[in-house]
Structure formats: C-alpha cells, structure tokens
Amino acid sequence: MDPQRRTKGLSRRSAAERILRLGTQSLGENGSSERIHETGAMTETTGALSGARSRRAPGTATSWQGPRAGRYLPPGVDVDGLGALPHESLSPLTVEKTALETPTPADLKQNGALAFANDEQVSINLPEKNEPSGDPGPEAYSKASTLQTLRQRWFVKAPPRPRTIYLESGTTNPSKRRFPDNAVRNSKYNALTFFPRALYEEFRMFYNIFFLLIAISQLIPALRVGYLVTYIGPLAFVLAVSMSKSAVDDILRRRRDHEVNRQVYEKLVAGGNGAVERRTTRACDLRVGDLIVLSKDQRVPADCILMRASPDPNGTVFLRTDHLDGETDWKLRRAAHSTQLLPSDESLVGLQASVWAEAPRKEIYEFHGNLYLQNGTIEPLGLENTLWASTVLASGNAIALVIYTGAETRSMMNMTEPPSKVGLLDEEINFLSKLLFLLLFSMAFILLCFKGFGRHWFLYLLRYLLLLASIIPISMRINLDLAKYVYKFVIERDHAMPGAVVRNSDIPEELGRLDFILTDKTGTLTKNEMVFKKIHFGSMLFGREAMDDLKTYVERAFDGGKESLDREIRESMLAIALAHNVTPVDNDFQAASPDEVALVQFANATGVQLIEHTPTRIRLRVPGGGIATFEILVEFPFTSVAKRMGIVVHGPQEPNVPIPRRIMFFVKGADSIIGRMVRANDWLDEECGNMAREGLRTLVYAMRYLTEPEYREFAELYGAARARTQGRTEAMAAAQARLERDLKLLCITGVEDTLQDGVKATLEQLRQAEFHIWMLTGDKVETAKCIGTSSRLVGRNQRTFTISGVESRTVASRQLAQFKRRQNEVLVIDGTTLDVMLHHFPEDFIQVAGKAPAVIACRCSPTQKGELARLIRRHLGKRVLAIGDGGNDVAMIRRANVGVGIPGKEGRQASMAADFSVAQFSHLPRLLVWHGRNCYKRSACLAQFVIHRGLMIAVIQMCFSAFFYFAAVSVFNGLLMVGYATIFTMLPIFSLILDRDVRDTIAMAYPELYSELRRGRSLNVRTFLTWVLKGFYSGTAIMTFAVLVLWNDDFFTTANIQAVAFTALIILELLMVASEIHTWHYLMLLSEALSLLFYALAIFILTQEFNRRLVFSVGFIWKTAVIVIVAWLPIELAKRIDRCLRPPRYLKVGEAPASTA
C-alpha cells in the first residue's frame, strides 16, 4: 500500500508553510524524532463534546499534542489558524525541523516527507509508524534563504488565512502573525505622491499632452510664434483647476478618515496587580485580540465577535447595518452563549478559552467560527454572533472581541471602486476631436503646399501647426465639466423632484439618450408595504374582509377544538406566530422583511399575539388570555439561496394551555421549494396560482412533529456540522435536509404590495417616449403578470406570451422562434428559462426580446439582472437605464449606462451605488424627458460653440498667412488670444447652459419629443460639418473684408488690420450666441454686457494692440459693422430657411416663450 496521500484543496505554498511552521514550532533543537507526545506529532483524539462518537470519521482533522498542552484546542483546530490537515489516516504525520523559508525540493524530499511541484498539490507521506528524521544542518539557514524569507514577508502579499485568538493573553500567540492595522485610509495621495500621480492622471489625456508639447515648442527660438506665457498659461490654468479639485476631494477624504481613526474606545486589559482595567484607545490603534467595550449608538470600529451584551440577560442587541449593506432594518445579534453566562465582563480577561475564526472574506452574510473552552466545550459561532465594522450598535451595551482589522474587515474588502462610466456625448466629442486634429494637419499642409517645399519646409510645417493649434480647444473639457456641475445643481434643486441626488456628475447628458429601462418591481413599482390579504387552509379560504369570522375559528381552535379543521387552524396560526425573525420593540416590530411583519400583525389580529422573542424562547398570548412559552431549539435563517426559513421549538411550557406539548418543526418559504418537501396534495399549486393571479405574494407553511429520539439524532448531527471548520455550510444543509421531508402542508398566505403613487401614469409617459421597459423581479410568473397588467406595463391592446419552466435548449429555441412571429405581445419569461437562453443563445434572445414592447422576467436573480443590462448594451448597441431600490439591484444598476436608485424599505444600497437617486418611480419621467433633454442639448450646443470659436481663429490665421506671402507669423498676439478664449467670449458661450427650447410643461405633456434626442441630432458629424462651414465662412469673411476695406486706407498696417478683424470677431461671436438662444435668461444678457465691457476696457489697457484714435473713429465703426454683417447675415438667413423647410418637432407642439427672468 502506497503510504503517500495527497492533500485536498492545499496550494503548494500554503501547505508547505503550514507543515514547516508546525515542524519548526514543535520539534526540539536536537533534530531528533522522539515519541509522539515529545515531538508534538499530529495524532487523532476523541471528541470533547458529549454524545460525540469515540472514533472520528475519515477526513476529520487531528489535534496537536505535546509541548502545547494547556492550549486546550480540541481536535480539528490548527494553532496557527492555517486550518486542519485534511488527511484521512489516523497515523501520525512526521515533519522535519527546517528554516521558515521556501525549501528546496532536495530538502523536502528527505525521508520522503514532502514532494513539491510547481503549481501542483502537496503530497504528504503518512507512514504507519514514526521514523527518525535527521537534522538538515546549518546549510538550511543560508543567507539566500534568509533574503527569500524577507522578500516573501515584506514584498509578497500572502492570502488571508484563518486565525486562533487566545483570550487569556488577548493575542494570536504562539504564531505571532502580523495583521493589518485598523487605520482607515481612503485617501488617494500623500505629500510625496500627489504631484507625480496627479500629473500622470492629467497627462493621460491626449489634449493635455498636445498642449504641453506646444508650450515646450515655444522654448525653441525657431518655433516661437508668440509669448511663452500665452501657451503655458491656459494649460496651467486647466491643470490647476483639475488638480485642485483632486486635492480638495482627497483632503476631505483624509479628514473623514482622521475623524474615524481618532474615535476613542475602551478596551479591557489585565492590570499589573491582577485587576482588570478599562483603558481608552483610538480606533486606529486596535489590534486583533482586543476586548473592546461598545455603547449604544457607537460605531463598531473593527470586525468583532459579540462576547457579552447587556442589559438583556439573553445577550441580544440590535445593529444598524445601513452603512454596510444599505438595509435600514435593524439586525438582531446574539452574544456567545458560553461567555454570556460569565458573572461579569471582566471575567473575559484571562479566560481559558480561544476563538477560531475563518479567513477574512467579502461575504457579509456568512461567518464560520468556533469558541473553544478549557473543559472541551465547542460553541459554534455564526453570523448572529458578529459585529461587522462600519455598523452601529442600536441598542444595549456590548463587549466584543476583535478578529479582523483594517483591510481584512468585511466593509473594507467590499469597498470597490464603482465602474467608470463614459457618456455617449463624451465619446462623440472625442471622435470630433480626432476630426479636428485631421483638419489641423490638413490646413497646415495646404499652407505648406502653397508656400513650397523649400529648404526649411519641415520647420514651416511645425510653425503652421503651432499657429493653427487654436483649432483644438483646450477649454473644451473645463467648460463641459463646469456645465455638468450646473446640471447637478439644477437637478438636485428641482422642487418637482424632492430628494433627488446626483451621485455621478460625469454623465448627466446620458439622461437624454436612453433606449431601454430595466426596473425592479418590489419597492420600485410597488411600495414594499405589505398588507395581509388572504389565507388558505386547504379546505377554507379567508380574506381580509372575513377577519371576524376567522377570529371566531381561531378562538375555537385554541379553546380545545377537536375537529380536523380546528387542528389545522391551530397549527397554521402557531406556524405564523413562531416561524419568523420578528422582535417586539416598544409596541412595534423589527424584522428584516416587511412580509414577516405583516403576517405577525395578522396573527396578532386573530388573537395569537407575539409578546417576546429572545434567542432561546418565544412567548405568545393565545386566545383566551393564556401565555404559551416555546423553547427555541434550532433556527434555520432565510437566505436567497434556500428561499425558506425554519424553526424547531419545544412547548408550550405551561401545562394549562390547550396546546399539546411536543417538539415541532415549522418551515415557510416559496411554493417551488416547500412543494418538494410536503406530502402529496391537490391544492397547493392551484391556490398559489390563484393568489398570484391576483397580484399577491405567497408564502407556504408546513410542519412536522419530532420524537425525542429523532430530535436527538438530528441535534447530534447538526451540532457536529456546526462545529466543523471545513465544509460547515454543506454539512449543516445536509443535516437540515433530514428534517425537511414528509412535511404536513398547513396553509398558504397572500400579502399584497401596493403600487407606488403615479406608477400607471409614469409607465404610460415612458411608453409614449418610446422606451422599451423590462420589469425584472424575483416574484412568481402569475404575480408578475398581474402587476404588469395593473400597472399598465402591459397595454390594454396587448397580450402576453409566457415561456416558463423550460430547461431544454431545443424547447427554448422553439419557444423563442414562436414568439418571434408574434406581434405586439409582451414577453413573460421565468428565471429557469432565462438561464437557458442566456447560456446557449444570448444574442438571439436579446435580439428577439429587444423588439417586444415590454418584457417581464420572473424569478430573476441579481446576476441575471446585471447580465441582461450588459447584453442589451453589447448586442443591441442601445443605452440602458436600470432603476431599483434593493441590494439585489446593484449589479443591474452598475452594468447599465445610467443607474437610478430609490431609497426605500430595502435600504439605501441601490441608492448609494446608483448614478442618480430619486425619491420615487414617478419622478423618472421628469428626470429623463426634461432634465435629460436640457443636459444633452445644452452640452451639445456648448461643445459646438467652443469648437466654432477656436476654428474661426484658425481660419483667420490661415487667411492672414495666405494674404501676406504665407508668412508663419501670428495674426493676433498672445494676450488677445488668451482674452478671446476667456473674458471676451467665455461667459456668453457658457451661458448657453441656461437655454431651453421648450417649457417643462410641454416636455412632460409630449414625451414623444424625447425620441429626437435619442437620434443624436443635436451633435453628430452633420452638425459638426455645418459648424465647420460656418467657421470657415465667418473667418474667411472677417479677414478678407478686413484687408479689403483697409487696402487703400491711410491706416493700412498689420496692427490696424488686427484691430479691425479682432473687434469684428468679438462682436460676431456675441451675435452668434444671441442668435442661437431660444429662451433668454437675465444671466445671458448680463454675460453679453460684461463681455462687451471687458473688451472696451481692454482697448484702453492694451495700448500696443489697439490704436484708440482708430478704434473710436467713424470709419472704423462702419467698416467693422460691414464686416460683421457680411460674416453673420448669410449664416442667419440660411438657418432661418432651413428651419422653415425642416422645422423641429417641438415647434409642432408649442413655442418657447420669448424671454424669462
């Protein structure tokens, strides 16, 4: 028999480190291999728990014996927190004394102990008897090995691993592992890295590199075409604004981090005389193993295990987790039972116990750990015993043991940068910028061709490029960024959308370019306020209007009724009153689900009232006034995977209550899950379907009586599963499955989630705007279809086509082909069929479903929601908006072009992850058809004017060089160029973001206007070429007539030509801005007036550029007027004619007012 066995699930490095660490910490310095208790070899021991089997099954771990006796770690725990060795043999493992570094294969193969291969599993020799092992000698401790150890320790990031914490010392000794400190660091820069990193981020943009090269070129005398400051100044200004924004944001982040890190906490420590002291410490100074004291409303600074809680003797506290998972409902947490029974908090210090905690991971809804006591007791620790960092203690006081700090906490591991979203308008402007670069080189090359390819032709080409570089607007980016902040300000202060928040100011223009809307149902289209409607007992159905009759039946059932119906009603009401996680708090109920609260309130109304719910018992007041106390034996919490919740209780404890005292197992959940567990029946599917067709959310209740031997067998199996450190979840599920068979079906409940206010009108508006609306929900097909009809997602003249329960690729393809032939039908598909479609032919499915007027996806998982958003963008090339209110909508929101969140009953997670947040679904049309329209059209107009402004300067420069023998000299000096791009024209052009072509009432009354935005007619290649033609005509007209009108004049000099042309250029730009405005705002008038005033002051200040005697002469004025009229009037006439021949759609529904304040 081959003695070698291969470990399962161990990487080469982790297994090597574990075995070497064990060998180094246990074997004597003499290197000899002695008896098991002397060498510390791994041996199998019997379990410490009562009722455990005398011999463990194959695959269980072994415990460490020998020098560490007194560390009281039972079988299955590795003192270094590296997990148990998963070998199946009871023979001891022989290890060798060696250095703590990665060993060479030759060292590891000695005595046949280990054999490694790159990226392979580890082979461990498990001999039948211990064999002596030799000392590898001092050569194992070489300098190279030491350097390699240092490199691995300081430069190689090791994966997070489990840990064992000893309460008597408050440390993780003897491993002495290094853990991250607990300081919160969200800042991006520091004093040394700010400038290098910020400059790198800025010069990743080609615009900035282009202008940097131009500025550097002015240091070369042969290429100098103006003042150096006029080229460096604009670039420095743009960089300063952008870097200042980054610096301010980072400073604010650093201040917030500093405030969190400086928060003071108390921790329990052993004093010098043996007394226990409470010392204050900052949050950033906490370490793994600290026992901290938490009070009500105090933030939890690190991931902890709840050891003790007060004043509740049962050790329960409530936790607010909205900053972690976005859920606003309080969570119940329970202290470890063994430590809660201690006489005082100070008893924890020096307690002969240890806590084993799993390796840090992102999952915030799961945790596996164990508490080991000196007497051999093992208490499993789960999610209910944890206090995660960034949560807040909502009630009571707590003593908590720190297990994860800093980067290893759940909150920090889940902090991921949201995906970077780039708007379609930005992509279009980027494409147009490439066309501008092409135009720049074309113009420079044309000048060079006319100049001739002489000796210094390349030098002239470079100078022409520098002279015409204004065609690339350096101010484009900063103008658009400033406009986005204005849009954010306007949206958040819209009184028609109170509570609106813009969280991503980079994509407001996307609101005007969307095609698809993916919406959640619960909490988005509905209020997520559950109201009990119906209950079916199999033989009788009661509605909300028959509560008095039902109450009579319940009173008779709890008054000793002997009929089968009485027994069914009594068991059903007990199931509703016991199987939940609802806790009474100050005459109210706290629960993670509004469904549970609604059902408990229904039970209260029938006379079965919940009085107390603790970790160990539930007390009810039953009809007749009696109190029934039920001991909680086991609870199975609800998860999105299990889709059910169960509880095992024993009671009632009172003898005078007319309820048989027995062990009962109750379970509730989805019909698709419970239906497989209950005995054969003929009414479950039918009644669930009937309730679903009425739009009700159904829950199915079932139960089973357990005998004491059955429960003891289950408890032993379940307790062993909970104590496992490997495969705990699977083992617990297998134990639970032993109970979930041959159950008795009790009842079906139906609760209604009412529609949000204005949902019907909202969906009608969006349909008129030609949106494709998809409702993605986790509810059943019938419920979703009913909501789709009642909300008018399915139109009055539309029918539904349902594809559900399909698991075959062939059948799914056939059904999809059949739907493709249908016209004007809404597609309804369930999660199982959707999974088949997305797995086998996603593109075909998206192409077909994308043509449907609406789609309803039922039983849809969060992953499927996100995948649908991605596939629509990829295969249809359409813009997608996703809107939801829960954590299960975050994937969809992040995958969409625009994500909209609604803060609601399920918390703020969707709202915080979204680009925009609105208070309710009915605000969505205004956000899209009004604000989306304004943002897109304003930014498009602003971008084109900025391009036009730079293009006119370049054309004037080209004409000037052509008129004067293709000289590579500047027509305007640097100061005029800087003034032209800033104080002379910036305010009027930027004021275009206040313009609007229609009133908000018209935009909301005629959603059809949105479709023209979707086509992108405000900014495309056609409009770009139109503005290029305008720029070429205006620039050519200005320079040509400036030369012609002064040709025979006494003042014919380049300075005077410059004055005439520049004055005409400024007036023409202001005039063109005024002619593009649809609705005047007083700030527009002010900006025009200020620009003229600044230019007039410049005439007096810049005496070298302007001849005041010439500028204020009558001849100069009329000549400038002629140039402006020639450059502007033909363009304006052409625009008016085009508007008459092809009027925009908004002119057909209503004109904008002439002016407004």
Side-chain angles (χ1 to χ4, degrees), residues 97 113 240 245 317 333 431 441 446 558 578 601 612 642 686 695 756 801 935 1059 1063 1118 1128 1149:
K97 173 178 177 290
K245 178 181 178 296
V317 295
R333 292 294 184 262
F431 174 73
F441 279 97
I446 290 173
F558 280 88
L578 294 173
Q601 289 174 342
E612 181 185 14
E686 180 182 356
Q756 290 271 9
F801 185 90
C935 293
T1063 303
W1118 75 260
W1128 171 77
V1149 297

Side-chain angles (χ1 to χ4, degrees), residues 342 409 450 480 564 769 845 945 1004 1061:
L342 294 174
T409 60
F450 283 101
L480 290 177
S564 60
F845 170 72
F945 253 102
M1004 296 298 294

Side-chain angles (χ1 to χ4, degrees), residues 881-1023:
L881 177 143
I883 180 170
D885 73 315
N888 59 343
D889 303 315
V890 171
M892 172 179 69
I893 286 173
R894 289 187 170 179
R895 288 287 186 93
N897 298 95
V898 175
V900 180
I902 299 177
K905 297 290 183 180
E906 296 186 23
R908 299 187 302 168
Q909 191 171 1
S911 174
M912 298 299 292
D915 305 302
F916 302 87
S917 177
V918 294
Q920 56 189 33
F921 186 77
S922 59
H923 293 168
L924 189 60
R926 185 172 181 86
L927 183 67
L928 298 180
V929 303
W930 173 239
H931 291 289
R933 178 184 188 86
N934 289 337
C935 293
Y936 169 63
K937 294 186 75 70
R938 290 168 176 175
S939 289
C941 186
L942 176 63
Q944 292 178 130
F945 253 102
V946 172
I947 293 174
H948 175 264
R949 181 179 62 186
L951 184 61
M952 280 206 303
I953 284 287
V955 172
I956 290 174
Q957 177 64 57
M958 184 179 181
C959 293
F960 178 82
S961 297
F963 287 151
F964 293 95
Y965 309 102
F966 302 98
V969 295
S970 177
V971 58
F972 304 125
N973 67 27
L975 293 179
L976 292 181
M977 293 287 289
V978 173
Y980 175 71
T982 54
I983 61 174
F984 298 154
T985 61
M986 180 177 178
L987 289 179
I989 291 179
F990 191 73
S991 69
L992 290 171
I993 65 172
L994 303 174
D995 189 26
R996 56 183 175 86
D997 55 353
V998 296
R999 296 189 299 269
D1000 58 344
T1001 54
I1002 293 178
M1004 296 298 294
Y1006 298 94
E1008 299 87 350
L1009 296 176
Y1010 188 89
S1011 58
E1012 67 173 347
L1013 308 178
R1014 195 177 288 121
R1015 300 185 183 98
R1017 293 181 176 178
S1018 296
L1019 180 65
N1020 51 35
V1021 176
R1022 179 179 175 275
T1023 60

Side-chain angles (χ1 to χ4, degrees), residues 574-575 577-580 613 616-618 620 629-636 645-653 660-666 703-706 711 739:
L574 284 177
L578 294 173
H580 55 74
H613 189 176
T616 58
R617 68 179 184 179
I618 297 177
L620 304 176
T629 303
F630 294 86
E631 179 187 359
I632 299 177
L633 301 180
V634 183
E635 283 186 287
F636 307 109
M645 180 267 179
I647 187 172
V648 179
V649 297
H650 184 209
Q653 307 299 322
R661 183 179 183 183
R662 302 183 65 178
I663 300 176
M664 295 170 283
F665 169 56
F666 295 104
M703 73 165 298
R704 175 185 173 187
Y705 290 105
L706 301 177
Y711 173 71
L739 295 181

Side-chain angles (χ1 to χ4, degrees), residues 271-292:
N273 56 356
V276 177
E277 300 177 356
R278 294 196 177 199
R279 296 178 185 174
T280 59
T281 183
R282 297 182 303 176
C284 59
D285 296 328
L286 291 174
R287 296 293 181 265
V288 172
D290 286 343
L291 284 168
I292 60 174

